[in-house]
Amino acid sequence: MAEPLKVALLGCGVVGSAVARQLTEDADDLAARVGAPLELVGVAVRDLDKPRPESGVPTELFTTDAEDLVTRADLVIELMGGLEPARSLLLRAIEHGAGVVTANKALLGADGPTLYAAADARGVDLSFEASVAGAIPLLRPLRESLAGDDVQRVMGIVNGTTNFILDKMDRTGAALSEVLAEAQELGYAEADPTADVEGYDAQAKAAILASLAFHTRVATSDVHCEGIMGVTAEDIRDARKIGCVVKLLAICDRSADGVSARVHPTLVPRSHPLATVHGAFNAVFLDTALAGELMFYGQGAGARPTASAVLGDLVQAARHRVDGGHGPRESAYAHLPILPIASTHTSYFIRLDVLDRPGVLARVANVFGEHEVSIESMRQGVRRTEDGLALLQLVTHQATDAALAATVEGLRKLDDVHDVSSVLRAEGL
Amino acid sequence: MAEPLKVALLGCGVVGSAVARQLTEDADDLAARVGAPLELVGVAVRDLDKPRPESGVPTELFTTDAEDLVTRADLVIELMGGLEPARSLLLRAIEHGAGVVTANKALLGADGPTLYAAADARGVDLSFEASVAGAIPLLRPLRESLAGDDVQRVMGIVNGTTNFILDKMDRTGAALSEVLAEAQELGYAEADPTADVEGYDAQAKAAILASLAFHTRVATSDVHCEGIMGVTAEDIRDARKIGCVVKLLAICDRSADGVSARVHPTLVPRSHPLATVHGAFNAVFLDTALAGELMFYGQGAGARPTASAVLGDLVQAARHRVDGGHGPRESAYAHLPILPIASTHTSYFIRLDVLDRPGVLARVANVFGEHEVSIESMRQGVRRTEDGLALLQLVTHQATDAALAATVEGLRKLDDVHDVSSVLRAEGL
């Protein structure tokens, strides 16, 4: 058994507490797996007076001096979140030769390359399994297991809060506002749910996934993002009528022209594996050149699941301290162009209120034809609105998002069209 | 970019050919991901005259002298299968300091510790992702991503041939012999299907999975194994009636007393994720202390999927040659006792032909009571056999396998019982 390795923890919220507790309770197993004991030498917090009994950390280990703490550790776990001071502290830790583990998707999505460059230069681990899809081993498989394959597509449910909401809407027919309030009561949604419902959380995760999958730097700002606030009970019902569910998906694609990453509510056929992911669970579907279709499923959040991912990274980084070497470096050699949403290929579900008069279908169809968008199916809604309006629901074949957007624009200009009340992208139809 | 790394390939069947082809076709990407070119220096085969155009390997690289070849390489890929000469060649390669990648489940299940000891002593990679569940990143997640967690259970479909057969029987109602013949025609089953249908393939995989999951040496011979040849069309129909499918599962459990690993046909509720795995696909379900439930899904066999796993391992081993360090060592520190099948907890589905006379149900129930096995449900079959026999189907609650076996033994001795025509274990009911 080698000398003990000093571990510093930055942040002691629910995940940090679970990690700290595990470091104590599972110390013998962790030492045996690493080949050296892991010794928690300090926990940086903002408020020393806040009691944290669930962490099991002795009072004297808490400190407000994170800057000093990171220079005293072989391994640093960052669970503070946010850009600063997390970035400066991680860079300082790396500079002092520590392997670092972080769950900070915001920081990685905004400025991953800076961290990578520092870690690569110093030859230390930078790992962040917990930043995407919580407990699911996904980033290590992408960085290592699939390093000899070519990933064509990553498509996944990477935000549990929105999946809980959309799943509940699907099962109960309730409105989003109602289900969101319930999710907040149950603790599945934050008091300020913006990051989840607007898709920002999934957006940062999509950037991380696309970067790893395509060996190309993709930042959060490169990811097209639409949240779920516009999804109505009627959308969910319409989806159900055509055998689909609505999911907030992160979709990263590689084509001959480049790569794209986007987050938006998406119609998915009920027969698709992702459609069967319920509640707050996460699942990510990969399509690769050699392995073909792969799916990973598990809990995307929660203190203990996230701690599992953090500790897995920690054990690996610790093994490297004992045995030499380090985890994979940044792999961004491909430098593939990042395509705007306008040029990505998708299909649309469109719901229209149209005037119920002769020739209207032909004129609607004509707008699609003008933009070279082909209609996959069209149905007239059973419910007719008042004032002589009829309901039309259309699903298109795949086309560029630009052509589809122009089609919707054209439909809105048509005299026969009273309203385009829903536009949702669809996958796997 | 570092100096080229010399790669030797042992075996050039369908997987070997796919790996060789990929090494050439994807050379630039692989070099960029490793930080050094990978140069194929030789392919060991038994028969130099057999044409292998699909491998794309120049004739001069083929050799029958595998013993020499492994001493000339930095990285050795073993795809010959079988115990010898694969073991000797891998040990020789390790001795010469090469990192080794193998898909040889038979060898690992029979004598993994010998390979580990050699690799650990020499500080080189020993990786074998392709040996279990083909393309699915599963072993690296177990060895690395979940190294800070405690796996309680591994339960999976790890043999595509038997899943194809059982799935087809479920969908068509056909007999096993009929479906097996079709599977052989389609190439899903070998001409000699023994290793698959008798469960031996899954048995070796279960040993590998249990070893990694529980940090304890589990050999193939420690795994209780029953194949699918006894599964009848009637079993499948009965399973369907109680909302189940029959799957050949590898089940590795950790309890307070120790660990167990077994392979047998198993009733699984249709609502369980493993029930939805169709055709030749594989899926593995994990239950861990921190992460909770995880599932991995993908192709378990095939040249290109298996090549994906081999190449992933190869890239990692190559990165270690460039950057230093090596993959995880053997982790068998826990030395947990291996429990015999008799002491593992399972539940049973039992079908009986009983004499249709007063008091029979009470006497049958009494046998269960004597062995302290609790009946979960009992139904009288709609079909009555000739000669005054009635059909009884029972599902038990969990009990030790010994108690269940003794119960079945007791039932067979009962005068009222004409035949115990089916006994199947069940999970997740």
Side-chain angles (χ1 to χ4, degrees):
Chain A
M1 187 80 54
E3 290 293 295
L5 293 167
K6 297 187 179 68
V7 177
L9 183 58
L10 310 180
C12 198
V14 290
V15 177
S17 293
V19 168
R21 174 160 292 278
Q22 220 44 42
L23 283 173
T24 309
E25 289 187 354
D26 216 19
D28 292 348
D29 281 317
L30 292 170
R33 294 176 195 178
V34 167
L38 300 178
E39 184 195 345
L40 185 63
V41 295
V43 181
V45 294
R46 261 180 304 195
D47 179 1
L48 285 177
D49 296 330
K50 193 173 161 188
R52 295 175 174 84
E54 68 286 3
S55 70
V57 174
T59 319
E60 64 270 22
L61 289 188
F62 289 107
T63 172
T64 53
D65 193 351
E67 295 225 345
D68 169 63
L69 177 60
V70 297
T71 65
R72 296 190 278 118
D74 302 304
L75 300 159
V76 172
I77 303 168
E78 186 271 307
L79 298 170
M80 314 165 83
L83 301 190
E84 284 295 345
R87 171 171 38 204
S88 302
L89 289 169
L90 284 170
L91 291 172
R92 191 176 165 87
I94 290 166
E95 195 184 305
H96 278 80
V100 298
V101 175
T102 174
N104 196 328
K105 57 193 161 280
L107 176 54
L108 288 159
D111 200 14
T114 299
L115 295 177
Y116 271 127
D120 292 352
R122 201 65 172 73
V124 296
D125 277 63
L126 165 64
S127 47
F128 41 89
E129 185 65 73
S131 66
V132 182
I136 308 174
L138 176 63
L139 304 191
R140 190 176 302 278
L142 276 172
R143 294 174 86 180
E144 304 185 16
S145 311
L146 295 167
D149 203 337
D150 283 319
V151 180
Q152 313 289 353
R153 161 167 269 205
V154 183
M155 181 161 86
I157 295 164
V158 294
N159 180 274
T161 304
T162 48
N163 200 59
F164 176 89
I165 292 170
L166 294 170
D167 185 43
K168 191 89 192 219
M169 287 174 74
D170 182 57
R171 286 186 291 112
T172 64
L176 191 141
S177 56
E178 199 179 314
V179 177
L180 174 56
E182 189 195 334
Q184 286 172 314
E185 260 174 53
L186 293 171
Y188 285 115
E190 309 264 351
D192 176 2
T194 312
D196 293 317
V197 299
E198 296 296 348
Y200 305 145
D201 172 84
Q203 184 185 28
K205 291 169 176 169
I208 294 169
L209 289 171
S211 300
L212 298 183
F214 305 138
H215 303 273
T216 289
R217 288 182 182 170
V218 179
T220 304
S221 54
D222 294 321
V223 181
H224 177 83
C225 177
E226 298 172 27
I228 65 165
M229 291 307 288
V231 177
T232 64
E234 191 174 6
D235 291 338
I236 304 273
R237 273 200 305 278
D238 284 352
R240 177 175 284 274
K241 279 179 202 152
I242 56 171
C244 289
V245 290
V246 179
K247 295 287 188 190
L248 184 73
L249 297 187
I251 304 173
C252 311
D253 276 314
R254 176 180 180 161
S255 70
D257 302 327
V259 301
S260 68
R262 51 199 163 101
V263 169
H264 51 68
T266 315
L267 263 74
V268 181
R270 280 182 192 270
S271 57
H272 193 281
L274 290 177
T276 64
V277 178
H278 300 295
F281 272 82
N282 281 196
V284 175
F285 183 87
L286 303 181
D287 201 345
T288 85
L290 298 174
E293 296 183 351
L294 297 168
M295 197 167 102
F296 300 76
Y297 170 91
Q299 293 188 66
R304 287 163 59 86
T306 310
S308 170
V310 168
L311 289 164
D313 278 352
L314 186 71
V315 167
Q316 275 311 104
R319 284 174 174 167
H320 292 140
R321 295 298 299 223
V322 173
D323 293 335
H326 53 78
R329 297 163 177 273
E330 181 180 25
S331 180
Y333 71 91
H335 301 295
L336 299 172
I338 295 166
L339 306 174
I341 183 75
S343 67
T344 59
H345 280 71
T346 64
S347 58
Y348 272 15
F349 165 86
I350 302 166
R351 186 174 57 234
L352 302 169
D353 286 306
V354 296
L355 299 175
D356 193 7
R357 59 192 188 192
V360 59
L361 284 187
R363 286 188 292 277
V364 162
N366 193 43
V367 175
F368 284 84
E370 272 170 19
H371 297 94
E372 297 184 0
V373 173
S374 147
I375 296 172
E376 201 253 1
S377 67
M378 171 155 65
R379 66 197 297 277
Q380 189 142 342
V382 283
R383 177 175 69 80
R384 281 166 185 259
T385 57
E386 293 167 24
D387 310 320
L389 294 178
L391 205 61
L392 274 189
Q393 291 156 356
L394 298 110
V395 178
T396 73
H397 280 294
Q398 286 220 341
T400 64
D401 204 86
L404 288 159
T407 304
V408 171
E409 200 51 40
L411 291 170
R412 286 191 206 276
K413 283 184 189 148
L414 219 55
D415 283 344
D416 305 284
V417 172
H418 177 73
D419 189 21
V420 180
S421 60
S422 184
V423 177
L424 285 168
R425 292 187 184 82
E427 288 293 333
L429 294 186
Chain B
M1 187 78 58
E3 290 295 296
L5 293 167
K6 297 187 178 69
V7 178
L9 183 58
L10 310 181
C12 199
V14 289
V15 177
S17 293
V19 168
R21 175 159 291 278
Q22 218 47 39
L23 282 173
T24 309
E25 289 188 353
D26 216 20
D28 290 348
D29 281 316
L30 292 170
R33 294 174 194 179
V34 167
L38 299 179
E39 186 197 344
L40 185 64
V41 294
V43 180
V45 293
R46 262 180 303 198
D47 178 2
L48 284 177
D49 295 332
K50 191 172 161 190
R52 294 176 173 83
E54 67 287 3
S55 71
V57 174
T59 319
E60 65 271 21
L61 288 188
F62 288 106
T63 173
T64 53
D65 192 351
E67 296 225 345
D68 169 64
L69 177 60
V70 298
T71 66
R72 295 191 278 117
D74 302 303
L75 300 160
V76 173
I77 302 169
E78 186 270 308
L79 299 169
M80 313 165 83
L83 300 191
E84 284 295 344
R87 174 175 32 205
S88 303
L89 289 169
L90 283 171
L91 290 173
R92 192 175 163 87
I94 290 167
E95 195 184 303
H96 277 82
V100 298
V101 175
T102 173
N104 195 327
K105 57 193 160 280
L107 177 55
L108 289 160
D111 199 17
T114 300
L115 295 177
Y116 271 127
D120 292 353
R122 199 65 171 77
V124 296
D125 278 63
L126 165 65
S127 47
F128 42 90
E129 185 65 72
S131 65
V132 182
I136 308 174
L138 177 62
L139 304 191
R140 191 175 299 280
L142 276 172
R143 294 175 87 181
E144 304 185 16
S145 310
L146 294 168
D149 204 337
D150 284 319
V151 179
Q152 313 289 353
R153 160 167 270 204
V154 183
M155 182 163 86
I157 295 164
V158 295
N159 180 273
T161 303
T162 49
N163 200 60
F164 176 88
I165 292 170
L166 294 171
D167 185 43
K168 193 87 192 224
M169 287 173 75
D170 182 57
R171 286 186 291 111
T172 62
L176 192 141
S177 55
E178 198 179 313
V179 177
L180 174 57
E182 190 196 334
Q184 286 172 316
E185 259 174 52
L186 292 171
Y188 285 116
E190 310 266 350
D192 176 1
T194 311
D196 292 320
V197 298
E198 297 296 349
Y200 305 145
D201 173 84
Q203 184 185 27
K205 291 169 177 169
I208 295 169
L209 289 171
S211 299
L212 298 183
F214 305 138
H215 304 275
T216 289
R217 287 182 182 168
V218 179
T220 303
S221 54
D222 294 322
V223 180
H224 176 83
C225 177
E226 298 171 28
I228 66 165
M229 290 308 288
V231 177
T232 65
E234 191 175 8
D235 291 338
I236 305 268
R237 274 201 304 279
D238 284 352
R240 177 176 284 274
K241 279 180 203 152
I242 56 170
C244 289
V245 290
V246 179
K247 296 288 188 189
L248 183 74
L249 296 188
I251 305 174
C252 311
D253 276 315
R254 176 181 180 161
S255 70
D257 303 326
V259 301
S260 68
R262 51 201 162 101
V263 169
H264 51 67
T266 316
L267 263 74
V268 180
R270 281 182 192 269
S271 57
H272 193 282
L274 291 177
T276 63
V277 177
H278 300 295
F281 272 83
N282 281 196
V284 176
F285 184 87
L286 302 181
D287 201 345
T288 85
L290 297 174
E293 296 181 351
L294 297 168
M295 197 168 101
F296 300 76
Y297 169 92
Q299 293 188 68
R304 287 162 60 84
T306 309
S308 170
V310 169
L311 289 163
D313 278 351
L314 186 72
V315 167
Q316 277 310 107
R319 283 174 175 168
H320 292 141
R321 297 297 301 220
V322 173
D323 292 337
H326 53 79
R329 296 162 178 274
E330 181 181 24
S331 180
Y333 71 91
H335 301 295
L336 298 173
I338 295 167
L339 305 174
I341 183 74
S343 67
T344 59
H345 281 69
T346 64
S347 58
Y348 271 16
F349 166 86
I350 302 166
R351 186 176 56 234
L352 304 168
D353 287 306
V354 296
L355 299 177
D356 194 5
R357 59 190 186 192
V360 59
L361 285 187
R363 286 187 292 276
V364 163
N366 193 43
V367 175
F368 284 85
E370 273 169 19
H371 297 94
E372 297 185 358
V373 173
S374 148
I375 297 171
E376 202 251 4
S377 66
M378 171 156 64
R379 64 198 295 278
Q380 190 144 342
V382 283
R383 178 175 66 80
R384 281 166 186 260
T385 57
E386 293 166 24
D387 310 320
L389 294 176
L391 204 62
L392 274 189
Q393 291 157 356
L394 298 110
V395 177
T396 73
H397 281 293
Q398 285 219 343
T400 63
D401 204 84
L404 288 158
T407 304
V408 171
E409 201 49 39
L411 290 170
R412 286 193 206 274
K413 285 185 187 149
L414 219 55
D415 283 345
D416 304 286
V417 172
H418 178 74
D419 188 22
V420 181
S421 61
S422 184
V423 178
L424 284 168
R425 294 189 185 78
E427 289 292 333
L429 294 184

